[in-house]
Amino acid sequence: MQAQDEQLSQAVRHALQQQHTFKQIVQQAKAHATASQHPITELESSILQHLLASGGASYICNTAFAAKEQLQLPHSAFPTVTQASGGNVRFDVDRELRLQGLPTESLQNAKQAWQKLLLERLHYLQAKVELPLVSPNQSQLKIQTATTEETPVAASARVASGDQPYLASVPLLQESYLFGIADWYSLVTTLLNSHWDSISTALSTEDNRTDDCHELSTDNQTIVSNWTSWPWLQQFFQGLNAQHRQVGLDDLLHPWFQQSSIKTGEACLEIAAIPQCRAALQRGAAPALRPRLWATALALDLEHESLGDSFENLCRQVEECNLLTDLLIEQDLETVANSEHFFLFEESLRAVLLAASRDPSLGPSCHHKPFPCLVGKTASGQTQGPYPPSGLLPCRGLVEYAAPLCYLYAEQASCAIMFCSMYARFWCRLHTIDNTAGKDATLVSLCVLFLHLLEEGEAEVAEHLKAVGCPPLQLALPWIMTAFAGHLAVGEVLLVWDRIIGFDSLLPLPLLAVAVIAFRRQVLLAADSREQIMSTMEDLSQLKVVPLLQGMLFGR
């Protein structure tokens, strides 16, 4: 215990020392102490009151909270802390649950096959458009100098416009992409079909098994259970219980609750503490406060003076150097151009995604590292770093993770940092091939949970779907992999994402997928073909997610 406390102290000190804000807090505290008229015996209390009043205390507490979380993530971007002496302290804390019954060898084989597929497609696309992976932009537009009377055009505005000669090759791609949901479906089903019997056996083990069980503690009781069991899920999602008022349900039924939710959110923002903001998000955020609650819960400072400059710098890099992956992003933006909900944000999303692809901090900050991570080399063999610089190969549907954010953040820079933070913390888990389970479940385990709960609660529907040639996972995987963006109404998507941030988990996705199928069970049972089923489930825009989740968890 003492060793862990020492590790945490080192991690917090390291995190604070790297941030300019902390240095300002220290300088302000010193200035306050110097100017203070209090006796020496009251100086400590005076400084503490100053930190509380200025927000410095909340900043330090949030840094400590985030550092503690990083120590518990073996895939985090903070695995090593460099000491002043030059030595390294390695944190090997592995508290993640693992999906039992899925051999490590099978996962490694799947990774190798996935890497081979992506490399083959990347080379195919390169040959198809006859462009290099990287090329300097010889036609870069020059920013107007301050000697002219016209206002200089920001790099982000030029990138957003898409008016770049390099992008003229986009039509040649003709629906080409590196990977999409269909590829993930093929990979996941191959894994699960080969080992479903052993996985099912592991899921049905007794509650006292320790290798696939997890302990949840509350003030009144401790539950030790399989992470796919209803007692575990009900305890984990206690914040969704009907005994708690919910944004997305009670605010529609009781107008007075709208003001109550705003007061609750404002109280959390005044404290500005990560745990309190996440707890509030478990019950949904008032729309007016959602942008700030999300930022605080994810330890982001959207008001920082360097945010805009950093974003503009990334946009200048987009102008200076063209990447083949830019064409894939442009191809993905066609989804937005044809969307009634997001077409207005096409230019903003172009700037956000292209800038994010140049952000070298994105890949290392992901809780599960992007795979495969390609390393660029020159013709002479000199290493150039990850390709693209973010380390993240763009997939089909990547824009779906950014589009809903445009409803929350008017500034492209704020939207970009939120997109990167959300991807690094959550969406990277949907593009990961491993067996992480429980609260931090990644794609394979999320699919297992969906299938397990569907077969347990809606066995008749599951069998019917299989019988008509529409396997349940094929129906639900697009919902899960896009976090329901593009499927539900935008407001409902944001309510789902409230809970994802609040519970710090993607488990709401398979739960909601099962709830949607259960809600439509009669229509699905009446359908006699795959086409009918797909047509029936194509429009989910009228669904309300909160009552569906509550009914699935606590209405049994």
Side-chain angles (χ1 to χ4, degrees):
M1 188 67 179
Q2 184 177 358
Q4 291 181 355
D5 290 343
E6 179 60 27
Q7 288 180 347
L8 177 59
S9 296
Q10 293 177 4
V12 172
R13 286 197 298 270
H14 174 81
L16 289 172
Q17 290 167 0
Q18 302 304 308
Q19 301 187 36
H20 179 66
T21 303
F22 177 67
K23 297 176 182 179
Q24 291 179 325
I25 291 174
V26 172
Q27 291 173 356
Q28 292 170 4
K30 289 180 178 179
H32 173 80
T34 302
S36 176
Q37 301 298 319
H38 294 85
I40 191 67
T41 55
E42 299 178 9
L43 186 58
E44 181 178 348
S45 175
S46 175
I47 293 176
L48 178 58
Q49 291 300 319
H50 165 76
L51 290 174
L52 290 171
S54 65
S58 294
Y59 179 86
I60 294 172
C61 288
N62 284 340
T63 301
F65 182 85
K68 183 178 181 180
E69 284 193 323
Q70 293 286 354
L71 290 181
Q72 297 173 354
L73 291 169
H75 302 289
S76 73
F78 206 174
T80 305
V81 174
T82 303
Q83 300 174 318
S85 61
N88 290 330
V89 179
R90 180 72 62 176
F91 299 117
D92 295 321
V93 182
D94 189 351
R95 300 182 183 177
E96 290 181 326
L97 295 176
R98 298 294 175 181
L99 179 67
Q100 303 300 311
L102 189 59
T104 302
E105 182 180 359
S106 296
L107 288 170
Q108 292 300 324
N109 291 338
K111 283 187 174 183
Q112 293 175 4
W114 187 253
Q115 177 171 302
K116 181 180 178 182
L117 172 69
L118 264 58
L119 288 175
E120 287 177 350
R121 286 188 178 172
L122 188 61
H123 288 308
Y124 170 77
L125 290 175
Q126 182 184 9
K128 186 175 182 180
V129 299
E130 298 181 347
L131 291 171
L133 293 175
V134 182
S135 64
N137 191 349
Q138 301 298 335
S139 58
Q140 179 187 357
L141 299 175
K142 302 299 182 181
I143 299 177
Q144 296 173 340
T145 64
T147 58
T148 67
E149 296 181 359
E150 298 181 50
T151 303
V153 179
S156 57
R158 295 194 298 273
V159 171
S161 70
D163 187 20
Q164 301 177 62
Y166 190 72
L167 297 180
S169 301
V170 172
L172 298 176
L173 290 177
Q174 297 293 328
E175 295 294 326
S176 295
Y177 53 91
L178 286 185
F179 60 99
I181 293 174
D183 299 304
W184 283 111
Y185 176 74
S186 177
L187 182 145
V188 172
T189 52
T190 299
L191 276 174
L192 298 187
N193 290 342
S194 302
H195 304 287
W196 186 250
D197 289 342
S198 58
I199 293 173
S200 298
T201 300
L203 293 179
S204 63
T205 53
E206 297 297 327
D207 284 353
N208 60 4
R209 280 279 299 274
T210 59
D211 55 352
D212 60 351
C213 298
H214 185 52
E215 180 178 294
L216 285 176
S217 298
T218 67
D219 294 337
N220 301 320
Q221 60 181 333
T222 298
I223 293 180
V224 180
S225 179
N226 186 304
W227 69 279
T228 61
S229 70
W230 288 114
W232 192 96
L233 292 168
Q234 289 168 348
Q235 190 63 40
F236 181 75
F237 288 107
Q238 192 58 232
L240 268 170
N241 196 306
Q243 67 185 6
H244 302 300
R245 297 285 185 182
Q246 302 285 329
V247 175
L249 177 61
D250 293 288
D251 56 328
L252 304 178
L253 301 175
H254 310 290
W256 59 266
F257 180 66
Q258 297 178 13
Q259 293 302 316
S260 177
S261 64
I262 291 175
K263 290 181 180 179
T264 300
E266 288 176 340
C268 291
L269 289 172
E270 185 176 356
I271 299 172
I274 293 175
Q276 282 82 346
C277 287
R278 288 187 187 173
L281 287 170
Q282 291 179 7
R283 302 170 193 179
L289 301 180
R290 180 174 283 128
R292 293 165 59 199
L293 283 170
W294 282 20
T296 304
L298 295 172
L300 298 178
D301 181 6
L302 300 184
E303 304 298 327
H304 199 282
E305 57 186 10
S306 67
L307 181 61
D309 292 339
S310 298
F311 181 70
E312 287 296 325
N313 181 53
L314 292 173
C315 288
R316 281 192 289 272
Q317 293 180 39
V318 174
E319 289 189 305
E320 292 168 0
C321 188
N322 301 311
L323 304 179
L324 181 62
T325 50
D326 294 346
L327 303 183
L328 297 170
I329 291 174
E330 192 68 26
Q331 180 88 29
D332 200 35
L333 285 168
E334 291 297 314
T335 306
V336 172
N338 299 323
S339 168
E340 61 179 307
H341 301 296
F342 303 124
F343 74 94
L344 291 174
F345 307 120
E346 181 181 0
E347 291 190 351
S348 292
L349 289 168
R350 177 180 291 109
V352 166
L353 293 180
L354 289 175
S357 72
R358 296 333 196 257
D359 185 355
S361 68
L362 178 54
S365 66
C366 287
H367 287 190
H368 294 265
K369 296 297 185 293
F371 181 86
C373 184
L374 305 184
V375 177
K377 291 185 177 181
T378 64
S380 61
Q382 183 179 359
T383 301
Q384 296 293 303
Y387 179 84
S390 66
L392 175 64
L393 289 171
C395 63
R396 190 177 193 180
L398 186 66
V399 68
E400 301 284 6
Y401 302 132
L405 300 176
C406 292
Y407 279 87
L408 302 183
Y409 305 100
E411 298 294 330
Q412 294 176 4
S414 298
C415 189
I417 191 173
M418 181 58 69
F419 165 75
C420 290
S421 180
M422 292 280 285
Y423 188 90
R425 191 167 192 88
F426 301 114
W427 313 139
C428 66
R429 303 178 193 180
L430 297 171
H431 300 153
T432 298
I433 306 173
D434 72 5
N435 59 353
T436 305
K439 168 185 172 294
D440 301 313
T442 51
L443 180 61
V444 176
S445 294
L446 293 172
C447 292
V448 168
L449 179 62
F450 164 76
L451 293 171
H452 175 71
L453 296 181
L454 187 68
E455 292 183 357
E456 185 178 280
E458 297 292 340
E460 183 182 5
V461 178
E463 290 303 317
H464 178 72
L465 291 174
K466 296 175 187 176
V468 298
C470 183
L473 187 59
Q474 190 175 46
L475 180 64
L477 192 61
W479 308 337
I480 294 173
M481 290 216 65
T482 59
F484 285 90
H487 297 281
L488 295 169
V490 176
E492 296 300 307
V493 172
L494 297 177
L495 288 170
V496 176
W497 291 14
D498 280 345
R499 275 69 185 188
I500 287 175
I501 298 174
F503 290 103
D504 194 28
S505 174
L506 294 181
L507 290 180
L509 298 179
L511 279 172
L512 183 56
V514 176
V516 169
I517 291 177
F519 182 73
R520 295 274 179 90
R521 74 182 311 274
Q522 296 302 330
V523 178
L524 291 173
L525 290 174
D528 57 9
S529 69
R530 180 181 182 279
E531 290 71 24
Q532 278 188 318
I533 289 173
M534 288 301 185
S535 176
T536 298
M537 305 301 284
E538 183 178 5
D539 183 10
L540 306 181
S541 61
Q542 300 303 310
L543 297 182
K544 301 297 181 184
V545 300
V546 174
L548 285 176
L549 286 170
Q550 286 186 326
M552 177 57 55
L553 284 163
F554 304 105
R556 303 177 60 80

